[in-house]
Amino acid sequence: MDSDFSERSWQSPDGLELYFRDYAGDKLPVLCLHGLTRNSRDFEGLAPFVAEKGHRVIVPDMRGRGQSAYADDSATYAVPTYIADVMALLEQEGIDRFVSIGTSMGGLMTMLIAQLAPQRLAGALINDIGPVVDPRGIDKIKTYLGKGGSFPTWMHAARSLEEVHGASHPGFDTNDWIAMAKRSMTLCNNGRIAFDYDMKIADPFNEVDDNAVPPDLWPGFEALAGKPLVLVRGEVSEILSAETLAEMQKRAPDADTVVVPHAGHAPTLDEPEVRSAVEALLASVK
């Protein structure tokens, strides 16, 4: 499978140099949006698969992740800012309509973009996130987000990930954990291996008042309901509850739903059943 991509950049509205992978294609562009602590490497399996179907695939590193610049003001590590950054990218590339594939935070971004500009979305895949986020998942994220740490070898890094996330991926073997480490961490100048994101992304997350009323994301989800839509949930997810998924299915009865067995937060999107759903999604968008 051809995995060639161009490494390109764009500028955020507040002047940051941000990075994206660009897989060439003539068909409708597909935008892949990663999760909170992740980066464009999360889609190094899926993006070539989509590009092989003839679609252009755009995979950005959000600010503070991967090869994108870190922000001076940690308050800008927030979904509305990320959406503004993505809109600047779409404007630079002259993209009016696209398919969005969003994992976790990327799925929240997709729903909000649908609410702001529904005409721009031709279809979407929402991976292991919904308009209601399970508090258990929030509590789990707080146990590791922004805690730093570094490792002498990829094996040590992989074992650390397994200790934290083993329950979410009970079927992973050592090679899977090493692959996850290489997607989410980087080799630093000092020879150590560390997480590939600015630890300050935790600041806004930790400052949220537990008693604050969360924004209503159902209108954004409902803006997607009439479009080609795939809902993915990990069977044992602590972020997207079975109850929220059931409500999503009720409000978007035509959506294709995939529950990945023996997986938590979040499915990798490299699972065969997810790939089949992605193929069907791409075939149905116009």
Side-chain angles (χ1 to χ4, degrees), residues 5-173:
F5 56 87
S6 304
E7 296 192 285
R8 303 189 52 212
S9 66
W10 88 101
Q11 194 171 70
S12 72
D14 59 349
L16 293 181
E17 186 86 358
L18 304 178
Y19 166 94
F20 69 101
R21 294 181 172 192
D22 189 353
Y23 297 76
D26 298 324
K27 292 184 181 176
L28 193 66
V30 176
L31 182 68
C32 295
L33 300 171
H34 63 71
L36 181 64
T37 64
R38 315 293 291 200
N39 59 70
S40 57
R41 296 193 298 278
D42 258 8
F43 296 99
E44 63 191 8
L46 183 69
F49 174 81
V50 174
E52 195 179 58
K53 313 295 178 198
H55 292 267
R56 183 183 181 189
V57 188
I58 304 280
V59 194
D61 284 346
M62 292 296 109
R63 62 174 59 211
R65 284 88 166 170
Q67 296 185 56
S68 283
Y70 287 15
D72 291 330
D73 180 3
S74 66
T76 67
Y77 290 136
V79 168
T81 312
Y82 303 143
I83 290 174
D85 291 348
V86 165
M87 290 304 191
L89 168 59
L90 295 172
E91 185 175 354
Q92 171 183 296
E93 297 303 307
I95 295 171
D96 295 324
R97 285 180 79 245
F98 58 94
V99 175
S100 185
I101 296 178
T103 292
S104 196
M105 182 185 81
L108 296 177
M109 292 172 64
T110 300
M111 287 185 275
L112 284 166
I113 291 170
Q115 188 171 351
L116 294 167
Q119 73 284 357
R120 300 194 72 163
L121 280 158
L125 181 150
I126 307 289
N127 182 21
D128 212 59
I129 195 76
V132 178
V133 180
D134 192 323
R136 293 178 306 153
I138 299 291
D139 292 342
K140 170 80 180 288
I141 290 169
K142 286 180 176 178
T143 65
Y144 63 81
L145 180 65
K147 297 293 194 281
S150 65
F151 310 95
T153 69
W154 286 111
M155 183 61 78
H156 286 86
R159 284 178 180 153
S160 175
L161 281 180
E162 185 175 9
E163 282 175 18
V164 176
H165 301 290
S168 293
H169 301 285
F172 273 22
D173 61 20

Side-chain angles (χ1 to χ4, degrees), residues 103-105 126-141 144 165-170 231-246 248 258-268 271:
T103 292
S104 196
M105 182 185 81
I126 307 289
N127 182 21
D128 212 59
I129 195 76
V132 178
V133 180
D134 192 323
R136 293 178 306 153
I138 299 291
D139 292 342
K140 170 80 180 288
I141 290 169
Y144 63 81
H165 301 290
S168 293
H169 301 285
L231 308 176
V232 178
R233 177 178 184 260
E235 183 184 32
V236 293
S237 174
E238 292 184 323
I239 291 285
L240 175 57
S241 69
E243 292 75 19
T244 298
L245 178 64
M248 293 165 76
V258 180
V259 177
V260 180
H262 316 300
H265 187 73
T268 62
E271 301 87 359

Side-chain angles (χ1 to χ4, degrees), residues 64 70 144-149 195-203:
Y70 287 15
Y144 63 81
L145 180 65
K147 297 293 194 281
F195 287 96
D196 201 7
Y197 68 86
D198 184 354
M199 292 299 129
K200 292 186 197 166
I201 68 170
D203 293 354

